[in-house]
Structures are given as C-alpha cells and as structure tokens.
Amino acid sequence: MNPAVSRWNDRFSATDDYVFGTQPNQFMVRHAGTYIQPGMRVLAVADGEGRNGVWLAEQGFDVWSVDAAPAASEKARRLAQERGVQLRVETADMSKWDWAAEPFDAVIGIFFQFANPKLRAELFEGMKRAVKPGGVLMIEGYGLKQLEYKTGGPDIPEHLYTLDLMKSSFDDMDILLLEEYDSDLNEGAGHRGISALVDLIARKR
C-alpha cells in the first residue's frame, strides 16, 4: 500500500463513524435525475466510505464504487447492507485502474483531490475513456478560495480546481455545466462549513 493510500486508510479506520457522513453529496443529488436515469451503469470514483455510491444504488443505478483504501471499502459494504442495496464495491488504486475495461453511462468523482496535477490529468483522461459516447462525467471539487475557508480538502493550491483548469481539461467534451460558487457543506466531520466549490458536468461526444 503506497503511503498516500495508507494515510487515508488510517483515517477511515480510526473511527467507526463515517468521516464524510452517510448522506450523499448535494451537487450529485441535485443533478443526477437530470443527466442520468435509473438502470444506467455508474462508476463512483474514489467513493470513500460509499455515501454517494449507496445513494445512487438506492435510486436504481447499477453502481461500481471504487476506492483505494480497504477500510473505506469495508464501510461502504456496511452502509450498503444497512440500507439494503446492492452495489459492486472494489478496492483499487485509481492510478492503476483499467479505465477501458467497462463502459459506463456516467462517471462521478466527488472531492478526489488527493491527486497532484500529473495524477489528476491521468485520472481525468481515464474517466473520459470510461464513459460511453453520449455518457456524462460529473465532478465536484474545491476551488482556490477554499484555502481561506479551511473547512475541508487539501491545503495545496495545485490540488484545487479552477474554471480554466476544468475548461481546458474537458474541452474535448460538451460542457453542460461549469460553475464556481460558495456553499455551506455538512458532510460529516471531514467537510463542514462554508466551502468554495467548482462543479462540472460534461457529455462525451
């Protein structure tokens, strides 16, 4: 296990509570019904303890929930069992994931900002490959203003998102939504308080 994954695994295993809560991300909830339909195959990238993957499964999606930390995957399975839903939970390093192995109707990545610029570019390209033509990507992350708020996320500017970064990274897709705004998050102990967010939804041509 590489050191970065080990740190996250320790964080998830240090408590029986869910570090980022058990409620789904509100950006995803707000837009899922508009851009994806129940029955579609969805990949939840770096899904952590499963709050988003489990919610998607509750809505009738065919979900793959993937995270590199074994402790996170264990919690995702537990949450799915408690909620009475089925989803595929896989422990895998997304930097080594075979993005072309399965076609997905949607790929969703929420706050996977452990990635430095090089790895982030690789993940973005991989996520594009994993989406079927006509399928969508949904990504939410922290913007640079988050360095002032300090209510979650990394304190490394290069790991944060800007509108220009997202435009240039996904200029080969049809960008359906791209916005930057502040919002009050309440996602467990890990994300709580006023936060600077950047949201992207893009469709593969």
Side-chain angles (χ1 to χ4, degrees), residues 12 14 55 58 64 67 144 159 182 193:
F12 289 130
W55 181 86
E58 288 178 315
W64 284 30
D67 199 272
L144 284 172
H159 287 216
D182 291 352

Side-chain angles (χ1 to χ4, degrees), residues 140-154:
E140 178 168 78
Y142 287 117
L144 284 172
K145 200 174 176 183
Q146 185 64 13
L147 295 170
E148 301 173 22
Y149 295 145
K150 302 182 185 301
T151 53

Side-chain angles (χ1 to χ4, degrees), residues 154-167:
D155 58 1
I156 306 169
E158 291 79 11
H159 287 216
L160 302 174
Y161 296 165
T162 67
L163 295 180
D164 286 343
L165 168 70
M166 304 308 275
K167 283 178 185 176

Side-chain angles (χ1 to χ4, degrees), residues 96-165:
K96 301 173 183 176
W97 177 261
D98 184 1
W99 296 99
E102 294 283 343
F104 291 91
D105 297 293
V107 176
I108 299 177
I110 306 296
F111 296 122
F112 58 98
Q113 290 176 290
F114 55 83
N116 62 34
K118 181 178 181 296
L119 176 56
R120 180 179 62 215
E122 294 172 1
L123 295 178
F124 282 175
E125 289 302 313
M127 292 168 73
K128 293 180 202 177
R129 290 200 302 275
V131 179
K132 295 178 181 177
V136 297
L137 286 178
M138 300 177 65
I139 297 174
E140 178 168 78
Y142 287 117
L144 284 172
K145 200 174 176 183
Q146 185 64 13
L147 295 170
E148 301 173 22
Y149 295 145
K150 302 182 185 301
T151 53
D155 58 1
I156 306 169
E158 291 79 11
H159 287 216
L160 302 174
Y161 296 165
T162 67
L163 295 180
D164 286 343
L165 168 70

Side-chain angles (χ1 to χ4, degrees), residues 12 16 37 41 44 50 75 110 120 139 153 173 181 186 191:
F12 289 130
D16 288 333
Q37 303 302 319
R41 182 187 290 261
K75 286 185 172 181
I110 306 296
R120 180 179 62 215
I139 297 174
M173 303 182 74
Y181 60 98
N186 184 14
H191 294 160

